[in-house]
Amino acid sequence: MNPFHETAAAAHQMSRRHVLRGLGTMMSLPFLESLGGRAFAAAAKAPATPPMRAAWLYIPNGVNPKQWFPTGEGTNYELSATLKEIERHRNDFMVVSGLAQDKARSHGNGGGDHARATSTFLTGCMPKKTAGSDIQLGVSVDQIAAQKIGHLTRLPSLELSTDGQRSSGRCDSGYSCAYQFNLAWKNETMPMAPEMDPRLVFERLFGYGAAGGKGAEGARRQRLQKSILDTVLGEAKSLQGKVSGNDKRKLDEYYSSVRDIELRIERAEKFTTTLPKDYPVPEGIPESYEDHIRMMFDLLTLAFQTDTTRLCTFMLAHDGSNRSFPQIGVPDSHHYLSHHENDEEKLAKIAKIDQFYMRQFGYFLDKLKGTKEGDGNLLDNSMIVFGGGIGDGNRHNHDNLPILLAGRAGKTWTPGKRIVLPGETPMTNLYLSMLDRLGVRAEKIGDSSGVLEVS
């Protein structure tokens, strides 16, 4: 008797929404094993040099400029009060001042700076102002890279958040929540939903057998995934000739998502993954916000260490976040405080929040530096962008953004300095430079005007 005879019937009993959500979890496919160096599947060859990684980390609501931005430039710049939180890493990061996201400005569309700040951060594109399903933006830098190098790893990219994701509804002054809760965009109409549950991230990195269902059970689940995929694709194809207009576009996106999962299954069969010995399996979302962030950084480090992916976006909180921070003496809403009107008490609380996020960034740098690779460490072969799409939350300005670059980009970056650029330098110019280092050629990203040479 075939133990999987129930597969097709079970799939038909699920709603399409249920199937998608189930596949999003079940199709979390692993890869690679790390044996001191970098061991690949038999079909692949180990690289002569460690691979390049890139991560984009987002903080919300702007900063306290007087406490965040340093003074001076070059290697002799003076650390600010906020940056002193990571003074031990002074030689591991550079401050880049003068970057802007022009498309985050109104341009006649009224309010919505938080939605635009998030949505333009990696795309450099103007989001269509809508709270409906007709969202439109552009491809984010991580996904441009994933299209070219994503096939080299088990996961083309990894999307993380502590706020989950929302792909519909009205969030900020008539803008869809999709703009505010997603950093990564696969194409103009499809955001890449981030994951906030560390356990689900773990399963996506290492498969079902990593966090439960090993042996025969793990194999059963993998066969079940394929069976459900066949059913879903069959249903999608049968509907192709029966819909039109907006529904057809949605169906095309649905089909594309399923195809992505199918490709992930193929990659899982091509690559193998070995979980580091005695690595603790996450048990869900921690109660402490700081613990949540740090657990996600642990997983991101692990993903880079095992070469499960080389590209990651992590939204530490969505722009417009109303999160409070009682653990550091700030019971007020972050968004409320960001409209400080130069009130010194509010500014002091914002500085505490800025320092909190900076400490989390420092923790991540500790993890990367502490992970040996070749004759150096993981940070040496990484490009990490840390910052946000708003400068001063009170002004909602999108120029002179608070941006740090960490890592040595395979010895092509020389951190330990502050770079002051001409005002209005497009943030996307930096991304073109990063793509070059990833081996990805792109003529343009959003509003880019040329490659920003960072060295």
Side-chain angles (χ1 to χ4, degrees):
M1 177 179 178
N2 182 353
F4 307 107
H5 70 277
E6 80 286 356
T7 297
H12 281 297
Q13 290 172 1
M14 295 182 181
S15 69
R16 288 186 179 85
R17 191 171 190 177
H18 188 182
V19 169
L20 275 177
R21 184 169 61 248
L23 288 173
T25 300
M26 293 198 311
M27 299 303 156
S28 47
L29 309 165
F31 159 56
L32 227 150
E33 50 190 346
S34 181
L35 303 176
R38 196 156 298 276
F40 287 76
K45 293 183 179 180
T49 58
M52 189 78 73
R53 294 86 164 190
W56 293 265
L57 317 176
Y58 192 87
I59 55 172
N61 300 335
V63 298
N64 178 334
K66 292 181 180 179
Q67 297 284 331
W68 200 97
F69 289 99
T71 56
E73 56 184 295
T75 58
N76 294 321
Y77 77 96
E78 293 291 330
L79 288 170
S80 64
T82 297
L83 293 183
K84 283 183 179 178
E85 295 290 336
I86 55 171
E87 186 170 9
R88 66 189 182 281
H89 292 299
R90 182 184 177 113
N91 292 326
D92 302 312
F93 70 88
M94 63 183 94
V95 186
V96 183
S97 301
L99 292 170
Q101 283 287 16
D102 177 65
K103 299 303 181 182
R105 295 175 174 129
S106 173
H107 291 286
N109 285 326
D113 285 276
H114 293 292
R116 292 192 298 261
T118 305
S119 59
T120 62
F121 192 68
L122 298 185
T123 66
C125 294
M126 191 84 182
K128 177 181 179 180
K129 190 164 190 177
T130 177
S133 60
D134 55 334
I135 55 175
Q136 186 172 342
L137 186 59
V139 185
S140 54
V141 58
D142 61 302
Q143 292 306 301
I144 292 174
Q147 290 169 12
K148 299 295 184 180
I149 66 172
H151 67 283
L152 299 175
T153 56
R154 177 167 183 192
L155 299 181
S157 62
L158 181 64
E159 294 75 41
L160 305 176
S161 172
T162 59
D163 285 339
Q165 66 91 20
R166 294 176 65 180
S167 59
S168 62
R170 181 188 299 265
C171 272
D172 183 19
S173 303
Y175 282 95
S176 169
C177 296
Y179 297 128
Q180 210 162 336
F181 281 78
N182 297 280
L183 281 177
W185 287 72
K186 187 177 181 65
N187 57 43
E188 292 184 349
T189 59
M190 187 184 297
M192 299 288 289
E195 180 55 64
M196 70 176 293
D197 188 331
R199 186 179 182 89
L200 297 184
V201 174
F202 189 86
E203 289 192 341
R204 187 178 179 200
L205 292 176
F206 294 101
Y208 264 109
K214 298 182 179 180
E217 173 62 14
R220 188 191 78 83
R221 287 186 173 185
Q222 189 171 49
R223 289 195 291 271
L224 179 61
Q225 290 168 13
K226 289 188 176 182
S227 298
I228 292 177
L229 262 183
D230 290 341
T231 301
V232 169
L233 289 174
E235 288 184 0
K237 290 177 180 178
S238 70
L239 291 172
Q240 285 284 357
K242 302 177 183 179
V243 297
S244 60
N246 195 45
D247 285 342
K248 188 177 186 304
R249 177 180 64 80
K250 291 180 180 178
L251 188 59
D252 288 341
E253 292 176 357
Y254 173 88
Y255 186 89
S256 177
S257 297
V258 174
R259 176 57 182 158
D260 284 346
I261 295 169
E262 188 175 49
L263 290 173
R264 274 191 262 159
I265 290 178
E266 292 174 2
R267 276 193 290 273
E269 294 171 344
K270 178 180 178 182
F271 299 116
T272 60
T273 304
T274 297
L275 184 65
K277 186 178 180 180
D278 299 326
Y279 192 91
V281 177
E283 297 183 354
I285 301 173
E287 291 185 12
S288 162
Y289 181 43
E290 181 174 56
D291 289 346
H292 191 181
I293 292 174
R294 293 190 174 198
M295 187 172 290
M296 296 303 240
F297 277 142
D298 289 347
L299 290 167
L300 173 48
T301 301
L302 184 62
F304 281 174
Q305 178 187 3
T306 58
D307 206 24
T308 303
T309 191
R310 299 175 187 175
L311 304 165
C312 181
T313 58
F314 182 11
M315 185 182 292
L316 278 73
H318 72 279
D319 225 291
S321 169
N322 281 312
R323 184 184 298 277
S324 60
F325 297 78
Q327 69 276 19
I328 58 171
V330 182
D332 316 75
S333 155
H334 190 184
H335 183 215
Y336 161 75
L337 290 172
S338 71
H339 294 271
H340 53 76
E341 298 181 334
N342 295 314
D343 179 276
E344 290 300 327
E345 183 177 352
K346 290 181 180 179
L347 282 166
K349 291 179 178 180
I350 293 172
K352 285 187 176 182
I353 295 173
D354 295 341
Q355 291 161 14
F356 169 85
Y357 281 123
M358 198 61 68
R359 286 193 293 275
Q360 311 321 309
F361 183 49
Y363 173 85
F364 182 43
L365 298 184
D366 287 336
K367 297 290 292 186
L368 293 176
K369 283 182 67 177
T371 304
K372 300 299 181 183
E373 183 173 67
D375 59 358
N377 58 61
L378 207 52
L379 186 58
D380 292 335
N381 302 303
S382 298
M383 298 179 288
I384 313 296
V385 178
F386 174 88
I390 292 179
D392 180 352
N394 194 56
R395 297 191 296 124
H396 282 174
N397 66 300
H398 304 287
D399 62 325
N400 195 28
L401 298 175
I403 301 295
L404 301 181
L405 304 182
R408 287 179 170 75
K411 299 181 180 180
T412 65
W413 279 359
T414 307
K417 61 191 175 187
R418 183 191 186 200
I419 300 173
V420 179
L421 302 169
E424 299 300 317
T425 299
M427 183 86 171
T428 44
N429 288 4
L430 166 64
Y431 298 158
L432 286 176
S433 177
M434 294 176 69
L435 287 178
D436 280 348
R437 287 167 167 80
L438 288 165
V440 177
R441 302 300 174 190
E443 295 295 324
K444 192 175 181 63
I445 303 176
D447 63 349
S448 63
S449 60
V451 178
L452 174 63
E453 292 299 338
V454 179
S455 60

